[in-house]
Amino acid sequence: MFAAIFAREPGPHPDARAEGARLVATLAPFKPPDNAGTWHDDRALIVHALHHNTPQSLHEHCPEVCRESGRIIASWARLDNRAELCATLGLQDRETLTDPQIILAADARWPGDCARHLEGDFSFVIHDPANGRTYCARDGVGAKPFYYMDAGDRIIAASSVAAIRAVAHRELSPDRMWVALFATGFGFAEDETAYEGIAKLAPGHDLLITDGGQVVPRRYFDFDLAAPHAGRRDPRWVDRYRDEFDRALDVRTRSAFLVGSESSAGLDSASIVGRLVHSLPHDRADFHTFALVAHQREHELLEQLSAMCRVAHTHKIVRPEMLRIDDAVTRAHKVIGHPPEHGQPLLNADFFAQAQGLGIRTMMSGFGGDEIATGYAKHLVHELLARGDYRALIGELEGAMPLRLARLAKWRWRGLPHPDRAAERMIATKLDVACLSREFCEDTGLRRRIERWMMPDRGPLTLNTVAALDPGFRHVRAGRLESSALFASSYGIEYRFPLLDRRLIQFFLGVPSIEKRSKSMGRYLHRRAMAGRIPDDIVWQASKDMGPPFGGRVATQRQPRLAFEELPTILQEILDADAFENLQAEYVESEGSTSHRIMRTEYFLWQIRQICAWLST
């Protein structure tokens, strides 16, 4: 983790040593870093804090200073293409060669453009005191966060909003739009944050800070959505996909410590466990998996997975209570700087504490798989119809041939329902529950903004333009990765997401769409690649349905009633008082209900309570 302050005019730095120590404490507020340090001159202060993980990280300096050029790098980085970079840069890939040193060498080879050559999870600042140039970048998927603030006389950059708050708290105000989006469950802001003036560097972007110059982000990477078309399947794609999946996981096992894994008995996490047991950097007897078990089939499938993969330690929390306001929320606010934009990490607090006690410093996760690389590809028929490949389309339909032909004729005449119709219904449902005032929505254009996110201009309708431009992948991904990285780091743990490997995703996008679904069976390419590695009951389960929840419904912490007049001012400004009171009355009267509206109401009220807890600190 890191933080840096760059002054626009030179001058004596006020007590740089004390400022550096305070920032280190902010970057690692719960688990002291294994290594930390500061660098400063009359224009810059750079702070770096590190929890050891990879063998090479044991040799890192905080921050790293290039002996030849004097450039300084502070980073949160793990490179996954070390061998290729070393070969290109003429470096010897030895254990004492750290990832930040390789990034410095890449920056020397490709000044201001090295990020596009790096694979892995990273965010960093590279400062050259000789010319005042500072180059910053974030990885293409967004696994590591990067925030910055142009404060006029100085620019502040950091791996957490909490670190920027520590420096500029008197200048900060909560952002009303962010608060409204968070409350409604549309926390999709790609480059904005919870505070006015603090910006987020989006995934696949870098920025250059020059002497007195502007700070303008630049996109250096985006996925290529073009793919060859085929009307028949070729089994060679399965082998190539399996190789890419294995590579994506194997490069993420680089660690000098124990590696653990989330395990939900779902296809994605099971696939990771099925490969991971063969590529661990330590004995399989020391491998631990962690599962939240809320539904009845999950226990049975976890047992099958553990038996087939010989996993000795599967830790379970049965019927976890959701939507809590507890110590995990307080911890998240302190390490992130605001409520987590995705609440999933909060559920894993007990597992993180247990993993920390076991000496685990890497947690594998299957998150992000079914957004792209293991996606259901349910719109295959849309693409085949748009392409006019009626032979392939008929082959993908179920039922007798006359029925298939009739359906094809109907679709040619009327067209298929557009993929965005479901998004329209979701927007209406969420905003109906959210109680936002009409004046606020009209003044800010909030609904139009949400619609642009949820229903982007896709161009030609293909599986790739549906999946890769879907808000779940395009926007929600970054918020969850940021929250996960920061929250896990408070336990000294690094999250790693093999199914969000940039090269794996790009490979998958380049596979013909026909490979990704077979009739009603989605996730088809991945299923075929994983067959024989994990239990068939997991490989071929038709959906994510794990049976009814234990106790009849998912366990949630009952939401207490909130008086509108006692809400923080910013919430009173954006919510409709009467609608808010009526919604809570409806919720109180519905105890025990499992309707979708009540479940959405519970989530909305939980989000409101998180905002209240954050603004009270």
Side-chain angles (χ1 to χ4, degrees), residues 429-482:
T429 301
K430 283 191 172 184
L431 291 183
D432 178 55
V433 167
C435 305
L436 296 178
S437 75
R438 178 179 299 176
E439 294 79 6
F440 174 79
C441 291
E442 290 177 351
D443 291 346
T444 60
L446 178 136
R447 187 180 189 116
R448 291 190 299 276
R449 184 172 189 178
I450 292 172
E451 288 172 347
R452 287 196 300 270
W453 279 333
M454 295 290 290
M455 298 179 290
D457 181 9
R458 303 179 190 278
L461 190 61
T462 68
L463 285 189
N464 284 354
T465 61
V466 171
L469 299 180
D470 184 87
F473 179 73
R474 196 74 172 180
H475 302 293
V476 177
R477 160 178 49 104
R480 176 160 174 176
L481 291 175
E482 291 151 4

Short mmCIF file of all heavy atoms in Angstrom, two decimals, residues 429-482:
data_model
loop_
_atom_site.label_atom_id
_atom_site.label_comp_id
_atom_site.label_asym_id
_atom_site.label_seq_id
_atom_site.Cartn_x
_atom_site.Cartn_y
_atom_site.Cartn_z
N THR A 429 -37.49 -1.19 -10.17
CA THR A 429 -37.72 -1.83 -8.87
C THR A 429 -36.84 -1.20 -7.79
O THR A 429 -37.31 -0.88 -6.69
CB THR A 429 -37.44 -3.33 -8.97
OG1 THR A 429 -38.29 -3.91 -9.95
CG2 THR A 429 -37.69 -4.01 -7.63
N LYS A 430 -35.56 -1.03 -8.08
CA LYS A 430 -34.65 -0.49 -7.08
C LYS A 430 -34.99 0.96 -6.73
O LYS A 430 -34.96 1.35 -5.56
CB LYS A 430 -33.20 -0.59 -7.57
CG LYS A 430 -32.60 -1.98 -7.46
CD LYS A 430 -31.10 -1.94 -7.71
CE LYS A 430 -30.45 -3.27 -7.43
NZ LYS A 430 -28.98 -3.22 -7.58
N LEU A 431 -35.28 1.76 -7.72
CA LEU A 431 -35.58 3.16 -7.45
C LEU A 431 -36.92 3.30 -6.73
O LEU A 431 -37.11 4.24 -5.94
CB LEU A 431 -35.58 3.97 -8.74
CG LEU A 431 -34.20 4.14 -9.40
CD1 LEU A 431 -34.31 5.01 -10.65
CD2 LEU A 431 -33.19 4.75 -8.42
N ASP A 432 -37.84 2.39 -6.97
CA ASP A 432 -39.12 2.43 -6.27
C ASP A 432 -38.91 2.22 -4.77
O ASP A 432 -39.56 2.87 -3.94
CB ASP A 432 -40.05 1.35 -6.83
CG ASP A 432 -41.38 1.31 -6.08
OD1 ASP A 432 -42.03 2.37 -6.01
OD2 ASP A 432 -41.75 0.24 -5.58
N VAL A 433 -37.99 1.34 -4.41
CA VAL A 433 -37.72 1.06 -3.00
C VAL A 433 -36.88 2.17 -2.37
O VAL A 433 -36.99 2.45 -1.17
CB VAL A 433 -37.01 -0.31 -2.86
CG1 VAL A 433 -36.42 -0.50 -1.48
CG2 VAL A 433 -37.99 -1.43 -3.18
N ALA A 434 -36.05 2.84 -3.16
CA ALA A 434 -35.00 3.70 -2.61
C ALA A 434 -35.48 5.01 -2.00
O ALA A 434 -34.70 5.68 -1.32
CB ALA A 434 -33.97 4.01 -3.70
N CYS A 435 -36.69 5.45 -2.24
CA CYS A 435 -37.25 6.63 -1.58
C CYS A 435 -36.52 7.93 -1.91
O CYS A 435 -36.55 8.88 -1.13
CB CYS A 435 -37.24 6.46 -0.05
SG CYS A 435 -38.04 5.00 0.56
N LEU A 436 -35.81 8.00 -3.03
CA LEU A 436 -35.14 9.24 -3.39
C LEU A 436 -36.18 10.30 -3.74
O LEU A 436 -37.21 10.00 -4.35
CB LEU A 436 -34.21 9.02 -4.58
CG LEU A 436 -33.03 8.06 -4.36
CD1 LEU A 436 -32.24 7.90 -5.65
CD2 LEU A 436 -32.12 8.54 -3.24
N SER A 437 -35.90 11.54 -3.37
CA SER A 437 -36.85 12.61 -3.67
C SER A 437 -36.86 12.89 -5.16
O SER A 437 -35.83 12.77 -5.84
CB SER A 437 -36.49 13.88 -2.90
OG SER A 437 -35.37 14.51 -3.47
N ARG A 438 -38.03 13.28 -5.66
CA ARG A 438 -38.15 13.59 -7.08
C ARG A 438 -37.25 14.76 -7.46
O ARG A 438 -36.63 14.75 -8.52
CB ARG A 438 -39.61 13.91 -7.40
CG ARG A 438 -39.84 14.28 -8.86
CD ARG A 438 -41.30 14.58 -9.13
NE ARG A 438 -42.13 13.41 -8.86
CZ ARG A 438 -43.46 13.44 -8.94
NH1 ARG A 438 -44.09 14.56 -9.28
NH2 ARG A 438 -44.17 12.34 -8.68
N GLU A 439 -37.16 15.75 -6.59
CA GLU A 439 -36.34 16.92 -6.88
C GLU A 439 -34.87 16.54 -7.04
O GLU A 439 -34.19 17.01 -7.97
CB GLU A 439 -36.49 17.97 -5.78
CG GLU A 439 -37.87 18.60 -5.68
CD GLU A 439 -38.86 17.70 -4.95
OE1 GLU A 439 -38.45 16.65 -4.41
OE2 GLU A 439 -40.07 18.04 -4.95
N PHE A 440 -34.38 15.68 -6.16
CA PHE A 440 -32.98 15.27 -6.24
C PHE A 440 -32.73 14.51 -7.55
O PHE A 440 -31.74 14.78 -8.24
CB PHE A 440 -32.61 14.39 -5.05
CG PHE A 440 -31.22 13.81 -5.14
CD1 PHE A 440 -30.12 14.58 -4.83
CD2 PHE A 440 -31.02 12.50 -5.56
CE1 PHE A 440 -28.84 14.06 -4.94
CE2 PHE A 440 -29.75 11.97 -5.67
CZ PHE A 440 -28.65 12.76 -5.35
N CYS A 441 -33.60 13.60 -7.89
CA CYS A 441 -33.41 12.81 -9.11
C CYS A 441 -33.43 13.71 -10.34
O CYS A 441 -32.63 13.53 -11.27
CB CYS A 441 -34.48 11.73 -9.21
SG CYS A 441 -34.32 10.42 -7.98
N GLU A 442 -34.36 14.67 -10.36
CA GLU A 442 -34.45 15.55 -11.52
C GLU A 442 -33.26 16.48 -11.61
O GLU A 442 -32.71 16.73 -12.69
CB GLU A 442 -35.76 16.34 -11.46
CG GLU A 442 -36.99 15.47 -11.69
CD GLU A 442 -38.28 16.27 -11.55
OE1 GLU A 442 -38.21 17.45 -11.12
OE2 GLU A 442 -39.35 15.73 -11.86
N ASP A 443 -32.84 17.03 -10.47
CA ASP A 443 -31.73 17.99 -10.47
C ASP A 443 -30.41 17.34 -10.88
O ASP A 443 -29.56 17.98 -11.52
CB ASP A 443 -31.58 18.63 -9.09
CG ASP A 443 -32.74 19.57 -8.76
OD1 ASP A 443 -33.49 19.92 -9.68
OD2 ASP A 443 -32.89 19.92 -7.57
N THR A 444 -30.21 16.10 -10.48
CA THR A 444 -28.92 15.43 -10.72
C THR A 444 -28.92 14.56 -11.97
O THR A 444 -27.85 14.14 -12.43
CB THR A 444 -28.55 14.55 -9.52
OG1 THR A 444 -29.57 13.54 -9.33
CG2 THR A 444 -28.41 15.38 -8.24
N GLY A 445 -30.09 14.28 -12.53
CA GLY A 445 -30.15 13.37 -13.67
C GLY A 445 -29.75 11.96 -13.29
O GLY A 445 -29.22 11.20 -14.13
N LEU A 446 -30.00 11.56 -12.04
CA LEU A 446 -29.54 10.27 -11.54
C LEU A 446 -30.09 9.10 -12.34
O LEU A 446 -29.36 8.18 -12.70
CB LEU A 446 -29.91 10.12 -10.05
CG LEU A 446 -29.52 8.79 -9.40
CD1 LEU A 446 -28.91 9.04 -8.03
CD2 LEU A 446 -30.74 7.89 -9.24
N ARG A 447 -31.39 9.14 -12.63
CA ARG A 447 -31.97 8.00 -13.36
C ARG A 447 -31.35 7.86 -14.74
O ARG A 447 -31.05 6.75 -15.18
CB ARG A 447 -33.47 8.15 -13.47
CG ARG A 447 -34.12 6.91 -14.07
CD ARG A 447 -35.61 7.02 -14.20
NE ARG A 447 -36.18 5.74 -14.58
CZ ARG A 447 -37.00 5.02 -13.83
NH1 ARG A 447 -37.34 5.43 -12.63
NH2 ARG A 447 -37.46 3.86 -14.26
N ARG A 448 -31.13 8.98 -15.44
CA ARG A 448 -30.52 8.91 -16.77
C ARG A 448 -29.11 8.34 -16.69
O ARG A 448 -28.68 7.59 -17.57
CB ARG A 448 -30.49 10.30 -17.40
CG ARG A 448 -31.87 10.84 -17.76
CD ARG A 448 -31.76 12.10 -18.61
NE ARG A 448 -31.07 13.17 -17.91
CZ ARG A 448 -31.66 14.02 -17.05
NH1 ARG A 448 -32.95 13.88 -16.78
NH2 ARG A 448 -30.98 14.98 -16.48
N ARG A 449 -28.41 8.69 -15.61
CA ARG A 449 -27.05 8.18 -15.45
C ARG A 449 -27.07 6.67 -15.23
O ARG A 449 -26.28 5.94 -15.82
CB ARG A 449 -26.38 8.87 -14.27
CG ARG A 449 -24.94 8.47 -14.09
CD ARG A 449 -24.28 9.33 -13.04
NE ARG A 449 -22.86 9.09 -13.02
CZ ARG A 449 -22.03 9.72 -12.23
NH1 ARG A 449 -22.46 10.66 -11.43
NH2 ARG A 449 -20.75 9.45 -12.26
N ILE A 450 -27.97 6.21 -14.38
CA ILE A 450 -28.08 4.77 -14.14
C ILE A 450 -28.45 4.04 -15.42
O ILE A 450 -27.91 2.96 -15.72
CB ILE A 450 -29.12 4.50 -13.03
CG1 ILE A 450 -28.61 5.02 -11.68
CG2 ILE A 450 -29.44 3.01 -12.94
CD1 ILE A 450 -29.64 4.96 -10.56
N GLU A 451 -29.35 4.61 -16.20
CA GLU A 451 -29.75 3.97 -17.45
C GLU A 451 -28.58 3.86 -18.42
O GLU A 451 -28.45 2.86 -19.13
CB GLU A 451 -30.90 4.75 -18.07
CG GLU A 451 -32.22 4.58 -17.32
CD GLU A 451 -33.31 5.50 -17.83
OE1 GLU A 451 -32.98 6.44 -18.59
OE2 GLU A 451 -34.48 5.30 -17.45
N ARG A 452 -27.71 4.88 -18.45
CA ARG A 452 -26.54 4.79 -19.34
C ARG A 452 -25.60 3.68 -18.90
O ARG A 452 -24.98 3.01 -19.73
CB ARG A 452 -25.79 6.13 -19.36
CG ARG A 452 -26.50 7.23 -20.13
CD ARG A 452 -25.55 8.39 -20.44
NE ARG A 452 -25.00 8.99 -19.24
CZ ARG A 452 -25.56 9.99 -18.58
NH1 ARG A 452 -26.72 10.49 -19.00
NH2 ARG A 452 -24.99 10.50 -17.51
N TRP A 453 -25.48 3.48 -17.60
CA TRP A 453 -24.64 2.39 -17.10
C TRP A 453 -25.26 1.03 -17.39
O TRP A 453 -24.60 0.10 -17.83
CB TRP A 453 -24.46 2.53 -15.59
CG TRP A 453 -23.41 3.50 -15.17
CD1 TRP A 453 -22.31 3.87 -15.88
CD2 TRP A 453 -23.36 4.21 -13.93
NE1 TRP A 453 -21.57 4.78 -15.15
CE2 TRP A 453 -22.19 5.00 -13.96
CE3 TRP A 453 -24.17 4.27 -12.81
CZ2 TRP A 453 -21.83 5.83 -12.91
CZ3 TRP A 453 -23.81 5.08 -11.75
CH2 TRP A 453 -22.65 5.86 -11.81
N MET A 454 -26.56 0.93 -17.08
CA MET A 454 -27.23 -0.36 -17.17
C MET A 454 -27.55 -0.77 -18.60
O MET A 454 -27.66 -1.95 -18.91
CB MET A 454 -28.54 -0.32 -16.35
CG MET A 454 -28.34 -0.14 -14.86
SD MET A 454 -27.62 -1.59 -14.08
CE MET A 454 -28.97 -2.76 -14.20
N MET A 455 -27.73 0.21 -19.47
CA MET A 455 -28.13 -0.08 -20.85
C MET A 455 -27.22 0.69 -21.81
O MET A 455 -27.64 1.65 -22.46
CB MET A 455 -29.60 0.30 -21.06
CG MET A 455 -30.54 -0.50 -20.17
SD MET A 455 -32.29 -0.04 -20.37
CE MET A 455 -32.30 1.59 -19.62
N PRO A 456 -25.95 0.29 -21.89
CA PRO A 456 -24.99 1.03 -22.73
C PRO A 456 -25.27 0.83 -24.22
O PRO A 456 -26.00 -0.09 -24.60
CB PRO A 456 -23.65 0.39 -22.34
CG PRO A 456 -24.00 -1.01 -21.95
CD PRO A 456 -25.34 -0.90 -21.26
N ASP A 457 -24.68 1.69 -25.02
CA ASP A 457 -24.74 1.51 -26.47
C ASP A 457 -23.81 0.36 -26.84
O ASP A 457 -22.59 0.47 -26.76
CB ASP A 457 -24.30 2.80 -27.16
CG ASP A 457 -24.35 2.69 -28.67
OD1 ASP A 457 -24.88 1.68 -29.16
OD2 ASP A 457 -23.84 3.59 -29.35
N ARG A 458 -24.37 -0.76 -27.23
CA ARG A 458 -23.59 -1.97 -27.45
C ARG A 458 -23.09 -2.13 -28.88
O ARG A 458 -22.22 -2.96 -29.14
CB ARG A 458 -24.43 -3.21 -27.09
CG ARG A 458 -24.97 -3.20 -25.67
CD ARG A 458 -25.82 -4.44 -25.40
NE ARG A 458 -26.53 -4.33 -24.14
CZ ARG A 458 -26.01 -4.60 -22.96
NH1 ARG A 458 -24.74 -5.00 -22.88
NH2 ARG A 458 -26.71 -4.49 -21.84
N GLY A 459 -23.66 -1.38 -29.80
CA GLY A 459 -23.31 -1.63 -31.19
C GLY A 459 -23.92 -2.96 -31.63
O GLY A 459 -25.02 -3.32 -31.20
N PRO A 460 -23.21 -3.75 -32.44
CA PRO A 460 -23.74 -5.05 -32.86
C PRO A 460 -24.03 -5.93 -31.64
O PRO A 460 -23.24 -5.98 -30.69
CB PRO A 460 -22.61 -5.63 -33.71
CG PRO A 460 -21.80 -4.45 -34.14
CD PRO A 460 -21.89 -3.46 -33.03
N LEU A 461 -25.15 -6.63 -31.66
CA LEU A 461 -25.56 -7.45 -30.52
C LEU A 461 -24.88 -8.82 -30.61
O LEU A 461 -25.24 -9.67 -31.42
CB LEU A 461 -27.08 -7.62 -30.52
CG LEU A 461 -27.68 -8.26 -29.27
CD1 LEU A 461 -27.37 -7.42 -28.05
CD2 LEU A 461 -29.19 -8.42 -29.43
N THR A 462 -23.85 -9.00 -29.79
CA THR A 462 -23.15 -10.28 -29.70
C THR A 462 -23.01 -10.66 -28.24
O THR A 462 -23.25 -9.84 -27.34
CB THR A 462 -21.74 -10.19 -30.33
OG1 THR A 462 -20.92 -9.33 -29.50
CG2 THR A 462 -21.78 -9.65 -31.74
N LEU A 463 -22.61 -11.90 -27.98
CA LEU A 463 -22.36 -12.30 -26.60
C LEU A 463 -21.35 -11.38 -25.93
O LEU A 463 -21.48 -11.02 -24.76
CB LEU A 463 -21.86 -13.74 -26.54
CG LEU A 463 -22.88 -14.86 -26.77
CD1 LEU A 463 -22.26 -16.21 -26.45
CD2 LEU A 463 -24.14 -14.66 -25.93
N ASN A 464 -20.33 -10.99 -26.66
CA ASN A 464 -19.28 -10.16 -26.08
C ASN A 464 -19.78 -8.76 -25.74
O ASN A 464 -19.41 -8.20 -24.70
CB ASN A 464 -18.09 -10.06 -27.04
CG ASN A 464 -17.25 -11.33 -27.04
OD1 ASN A 464 -17.48 -12.24 -26.25
ND2 ASN A 464 -16.29 -11.40 -27.94
N THR A 465 -20.59 -8.17 -26.61
CA THR A 465 -21.07 -6.82 -26.30
C THR A 465 -22.11 -6.84 -25.19
O THR A 465 -22.30 -5.83 -24.52
CB THR A 465 -21.65 -6.13 -27.55
OG1 THR A 465 -22.76 -6.89 -28.04
CG2 THR A 465 -20.59 -5.99 -28.64
N VAL A 466 -22.77 -7.96 -24.99
CA VAL A 466 -23.69 -8.08 -23.86
C VAL A 466 -22.90 -8.28 -22.57
O VAL A 466 -23.09 -7.57 -21.57
CB VAL A 466 -24.69 -9.23 -24.06
CG1 VAL A 466 -25.49 -9.46 -22.78
CG2 VAL A 466 -25.63 -8.91 -25.22
N ALA A 467 -21.97 -9.22 -22.56
CA ALA A 467 -21.26 -9.57 -21.32
C ALA A 467 -20.23 -8.52 -20.91
O ALA A 467 -20.20 -8.07 -19.76
CB ALA A 467 -20.58 -10.92 -21.49
N ALA A 468 -19.37 -8.10 -21.83
CA ALA A 468 -18.28 -7.20 -21.47
C ALA A 468 -18.75 -5.78 -21.20
O ALA A 468 -18.04 -5.02 -20.54
CB ALA A 468 -17.22 -7.20 -22.57
N LEU A 469 -19.93 -5.40 -21.71
CA LEU A 469 -20.47 -4.07 -21.44
C LEU A 469 -21.55 -4.10 -20.37
O LEU A 469 -22.12 -3.07 -20.02
CB LEU A 469 -21.04 -3.46 -22.72
CG LEU A 469 -20.03 -3.26 -23.85
CD1 LEU A 469 -20.70 -2.64 -25.07
CD2 LEU A 469 -18.85 -2.41 -23.40
N ASP A 470 -21.81 -5.28 -19.81
CA ASP A 470 -22.78 -5.40 -18.72
C ASP A 470 -22.24 -4.67 -17.50
O ASP A 470 -21.04 -4.74 -17.19
CB ASP A 470 -23.01 -6.88 -18.38
CG ASP A 470 -24.08 -7.05 -17.34
OD1 ASP A 470 -25.26 -7.11 -17.71
OD2 ASP A 470 -23.73 -7.13 -16.14
N PRO A 471 -23.08 -3.96 -16.75
CA PRO A 471 -22.57 -3.23 -15.58
C PRO A 471 -21.94 -4.13 -14.53
O PRO A 471 -21.05 -3.69 -13.80
CB PRO A 471 -23.81 -2.52 -15.04
CG PRO A 471 -24.98 -3.24 -15.64
CD PRO A 471 -24.51 -3.74 -16.97
N GLY A 472 -22.38 -5.40 -14.44
CA GLY A 472 -21.76 -6.30 -13.49
C GLY A 472 -20.29 -6.49 -13.72
O GLY A 472 -19.50 -6.66 -12.79
N PHE A 473 -19.88 -6.48 -14.99
CA PHE A 473 -18.46 -6.60 -15.31
C PHE A 473 -17.81 -5.23 -15.49
O PHE A 473 -16.73 -4.98 -14.97
CB PHE A 473 -18.27 -7.40 -16.59
CG PHE A 473 -16.83 -7.54 -17.01
CD1 PHE A 473 -15.97 -8.38 -16.31
CD2 PHE A 473 -16.33 -6.82 -18.08
CE1 PHE A 473 -14.64 -8.49 -16.68
CE2 PHE A 473 -15.00 -6.92 -18.46
CZ PHE A 473 -14.15 -7.77 -17.76
N ARG A 474 -18.48 -4.34 -16.17
CA ARG A 474 -17.87 -3.07 -16.55
C ARG A 474 -17.68 -2.15 -15.35
O ARG A 474 -16.69 -1.43 -15.26
CB ARG A 474 -18.74 -2.39 -17.59
CG ARG A 474 -18.08 -1.26 -18.34
CD ARG A 474 -17.09 -1.81 -19.34
NE ARG A 474 -16.56 -0.77 -20.22
CZ ARG A 474 -15.67 -1.02 -21.18
NH1 ARG A 474 -15.23 -2.24 -21.36
NH2 ARG A 474 -15.21 -0.05 -21.93
N HIS A 475 -18.61 -2.16 -14.40
CA HIS A 475 -18.57 -1.18 -13.33
C HIS A 475 -18.53 -1.80 -11.93
O HIS A 475 -17.69 -1.43 -11.12
CB HIS A 475 -19.79 -0.25 -13.44
CG HIS A 475 -19.89 0.46 -14.75
ND1 HIS A 475 -18.98 1.42 -15.13
CD2 HIS A 475 -20.77 0.36 -15.77
CE1 HIS A 475 -19.31 1.89 -16.33
NE2 HIS A 475 -20.38 1.25 -16.74
N VAL A 476 -19.43 -2.72 -11.63
CA VAL A 476 -19.51 -3.29 -10.28
C VAL A 476 -18.21 -4.00 -9.92
O VAL A 476 -17.78 -3.99 -8.76
CB VAL A 476 -20.71 -4.25 -10.17
CG1 VAL A 476 -20.75 -4.89 -8.79
CG2 VAL A 476 -22.00 -3.52 -10.46
N ARG A 477 -17.57 -4.60 -10.92
CA ARG A 477 -16.31 -5.33 -10.69
C ARG A 477 -15.29 -4.49 -9.91
O ARG A 477 -14.72 -4.95 -8.92
CB ARG A 477 -15.73 -5.74 -12.04
CG ARG A 477 -14.24 -6.07 -12.03
CD ARG A 477 -13.79 -6.52 -13.40
NE ARG A 477 -14.20 -5.65 -14.49
CZ ARG A 477 -13.40 -4.80 -15.11
NH1 ARG A 477 -12.14 -4.66 -14.74
NH2 ARG A 477 -13.84 -4.07 -16.12
N ALA A 478 -15.05 -3.26 -10.34
CA ALA A 478 -14.01 -2.45 -9.71
C ALA A 478 -14.33 -2.16 -8.25
O ALA A 478 -13.45 -2.28 -7.38
CB ALA A 478 -13.82 -1.15 -10.49
N GLY A 479 -15.59 -1.82 -7.96
CA GLY A 479 -15.95 -1.54 -6.57
C GLY A 479 -15.76 -2.73 -5.66
O GLY A 479 -15.27 -2.60 -4.53
N ARG A 480 -16.12 -3.92 -6.15
CA ARG A 480 -15.94 -5.10 -5.31
C ARG A 480 -14.46 -5.43 -5.13
O ARG A 480 -14.02 -5.80 -4.04
CB ARG A 480 -16.66 -6.31 -5.90
CG ARG A 480 -16.42 -7.57 -5.09
CD ARG A 480 -17.44 -8.64 -5.33
NE ARG A 480 -17.09 -9.87 -4.66
CZ ARG A 480 -17.86 -10.96 -4.64
NH1 ARG A 480 -19.02 -10.93 -5.23
NH2 ARG A 480 -17.47 -12.05 -4.02
N LEU A 481 -13.67 -5.31 -6.19
CA LEU A 481 -12.25 -5.60 -6.07
C LEU A 481 -11.56 -4.64 -5.12
O LEU A 481 -10.71 -5.04 -4.31
CB LEU A 481 -11.60 -5.54 -7.45
CG LEU A 481 -11.98 -6.65 -8.43
CD1 LEU A 481 -11.37 -6.41 -9.79
CD2 LEU A 481 -11.55 -8.02 -7.90
N GLU A 482 -11.91 -3.36 -5.20
CA GLU A 482 -11.31 -2.37 -4.30
C GLU A 482 -11.65 -2.68 -2.85
O GLU A 482 -10.77 -2.70 -1.98
CB GLU A 482 -11.80 -0.98 -4.68
CG GLU A 482 -11.27 -0.48 -6.00
CD GLU A 482 -12.19 0.48 -6.70
OE1 GLU A 482 -13.24 0.84 -6.14
OE2 GLU A 482 -11.87 0.84 -7.85
#
